[in-house]
Amino acid sequence: MTANEQTATDNYYMMLAIEEAKKGIYRTRPNPAVGCVIVNNGLIVGAGFHPKAGEPHAEVFALRQAKQSAKGATAYVTLEPCSHTGKTPPCARALIESGISRVVIAGLDPNPQVAGRGVTMLKEAGIAVTVGIGSSQAEQLNLGFLKAMRTQMPYVRLKIATSLDGRTAMASGESKWITGPAAREDVQKLRALSGAIITGSQTVIDDNPSLNVRSTQLGVDVEQVPQPKVVVLDRRGRLQGADYQVLQRQDTLIWSQSDLTQLLQTLVSEYQIYDVLVEAGSEVAGSFVEAGRVDELVVYQAPCVLGDKAKPMLTIAMDHLAAQRRFDLLSATPIGEDLKLIYRPYSERLLTNK
């Protein structure tokens, strides 16, 4: 087999491993979603994914399925096999003991407890290791986990439902519903990916939202999806003694400080929350953009106009065009009657060189 043929083959099986990993994306928090496929003489002899924190990892399920066929086989894994003993034994050791001859890994695990040690363990056992196959696709599976391990900050998605003229609610606060049922169902997927949902006290007062995951269309039983922690920004203590839905939950966090960076760091260090969804009004949404704490902006745009008296998407004070915050459009997808737009922050280099 030529080098190009080997690369094509590796890519093919890694894509299958990525599809395995996707089966666990709503259930594994705070662990990453990982998939594994084991191939022997061109035949898939084992496949598995990590279903839930505390349960065996993807490699273990794939090895159980492969049994004796794992000997001399190649394992394709979407994230570097762990080398430490946590709630489960190290997967690198399991691969070694199975007789696997080669391991192909999409990306290294930045978790300080792993961070290349899994690869080292495999190589020291005489196993051939290839790293980097399908790395960009595999990275998308665990944006929050990977960012948190690298920077101790979570991956922040800001979700906004807006009209064509950039309005999110009437002047009275009325906002149910700007977008249609398909868009609202899609938001359930964002919630299911998130360890925490951040909102503001005004949103709680205006809408009394539940901010939970309740969809029956996630492809998994909603009872298996960990409910995201609700974080309410309430600097003025407006919710004290109130009786709103989010306050009935024992794990709701009321945050009274103004430092968003400290909040995000706290969610990672104290709660192992790596993916955050911001669902809030224009002031809170604007504060996240102004602080540069938005990794992904998700806009659901409805085909309607609400007028200039309605509330804006974002409340940010800007006096000059040079102060603008720009975003790159990654995708535009019809969702029912609405349009889902996904943006990432525009790079500083592009701004300064325009």
Side-chain angles (χ1 to χ4, degrees):
M1 185 180 294
T2 67
N4 287 339
E5 289 173 333
Q6 183 64 67
T7 299
T9 298
D10 287 346
N11 274 312
Y12 172 75
Y13 288 118
M14 186 59 74
M15 292 306 108
L16 295 182
I18 288 173
E19 290 304 310
E20 282 292 316
K22 289 179 180 178
K23 297 176 182 178
I25 58 172
Y26 297 132
R27 296 181 286 170
T28 62
R29 296 196 311 267
N31 288 1
V34 180
C36 177
V37 169
I38 298 174
V39 180
N40 199 335
N41 291 322
L43 296 175
I44 296 176
V45 296
F49 66 96
H50 180 45
K52 183 180 179 181
E55 294 188 12
H57 293 179
E59 299 92 324
V60 173
F61 284 107
L63 288 170
R64 286 177 181 175
Q65 191 177 108
K67 298 179 182 178
Q68 297 303 315
S69 297
K71 189 172 183 179
T74 297
Y76 294 86
V77 191
T78 59
L79 189 67
E80 179 183 8
C82 62
S83 56
H84 65 288
T85 300
K87 292 182 179 179
T88 59
C91 292
R93 176 60 56 194
L95 290 167
I96 293 168
E97 293 174 351
S98 73
I100 287 280
S101 63
R102 180 172 178 249
V103 177
V104 181
I105 301 168
L108 298 180
D109 188 343
N111 184 339
Q113 292 183 301
V114 185
R117 293 185 182 90
V119 168
T120 299
M121 185 181 294
L122 294 170
K123 288 182 175 179
E124 288 179 348
I127 295 174
V129 179
T130 300
V131 179
I133 300 296
S135 58
S136 59
Q137 295 93 328
E139 181 99 2
Q140 298 304 307
L141 293 168
N142 301 294
L143 293 171
F145 173 83
L146 295 173
K147 182 185 178 185
M149 292 301 109
R150 292 165 179 157
T151 68
Q152 289 72 58
M153 291 286 285
Y155 188 88
V156 178
R157 294 177 177 89
L158 170 59
K159 166 257 172 181
I160 298 177
T162 180
S163 61
L164 288 174
D165 53 345
R167 304 291 168 165
T168 59
M170 303 309 293
S172 64
E174 179 188 1
S175 62
K176 293 183 179 180
W177 297 100
I178 295 174
T179 54
R184 298 198 297 273
E185 177 62 35
D186 197 68
V187 172
Q188 287 287 304
K189 297 177 183 178
L190 295 180
R191 290 183 181 179
L193 287 172
S194 306
I197 297 175
I198 297 178
T199 193
S201 58
Q202 189 63 54
T203 296
V204 174
I205 292 169
D206 289 342
D207 299 340
N208 191 19
S210 58
L211 298 179
N212 61 358
V213 179
R214 52 187 179 273
S215 173
T216 58
Q217 301 178 40
L218 298 174
V220 297
D221 186 346
V222 69
E223 296 297 326
Q224 298 179 11
V225 178
Q227 287 293 333
K229 185 179 190 68
V230 174
V231 180
V232 183
L233 305 184
D234 187 23
R235 290 187 285 268
R236 290 171 286 175
R238 303 170 72 197
L239 302 184
Q240 291 181 6
D243 186 27
Y244 295 104
Q245 288 192 79
V246 295
L247 300 183
Q248 307 309 309
R249 295 173 51 168
Q250 294 184 346
D251 65 337
T252 293
L253 173 64
I254 304 297
W255 187 262
S256 60
Q257 303 175 50
S258 59
D259 191 337
L260 296 181
T261 298
Q262 184 180 352
L263 167 60
L264 296 174
Q265 290 173 335
T266 298
L267 291 178
V268 170
S269 63
E270 294 189 18
Y271 299 100
Q272 288 186 291
I273 290 172
Y274 307 141
D275 287 270
V276 169
L277 178 63
V278 179
E279 289 193 64
S282 64
E283 291 190 11
V284 171
S287 68
F288 272 88
V289 173
E290 195 167 22
R293 291 304 177 192
V294 176
D295 297 295
E296 186 175 309
L297 174 60
V298 184
V299 178
Y300 295 92
Q301 188 180 60
C304 66
V305 173
L306 299 183
D308 63 353
K309 292 183 180 180
K311 294 186 177 182
M313 288 174 56
L314 303 167
T315 299
I316 303 179
M318 293 185 185
D319 297 323
H320 305 286
L321 194 61
Q324 65 184 274
R325 302 301 176 103
R326 294 186 65 87
F327 290 82
D328 284 320
L329 177 64
L330 297 185
S331 65
T333 309
I335 301 285
E337 296 180 349
D338 306 311
L339 185 64
K340 180 182 181 181
L341 304 164
I342 299 181
Y343 298 89
R344 294 260 175 85
Y346 208 69
S347 72
E348 292 292 334
R349 178 182 63 79
L350 290 175
L351 272 178
T352 55
N353 291 344
K354 69 174 185 178

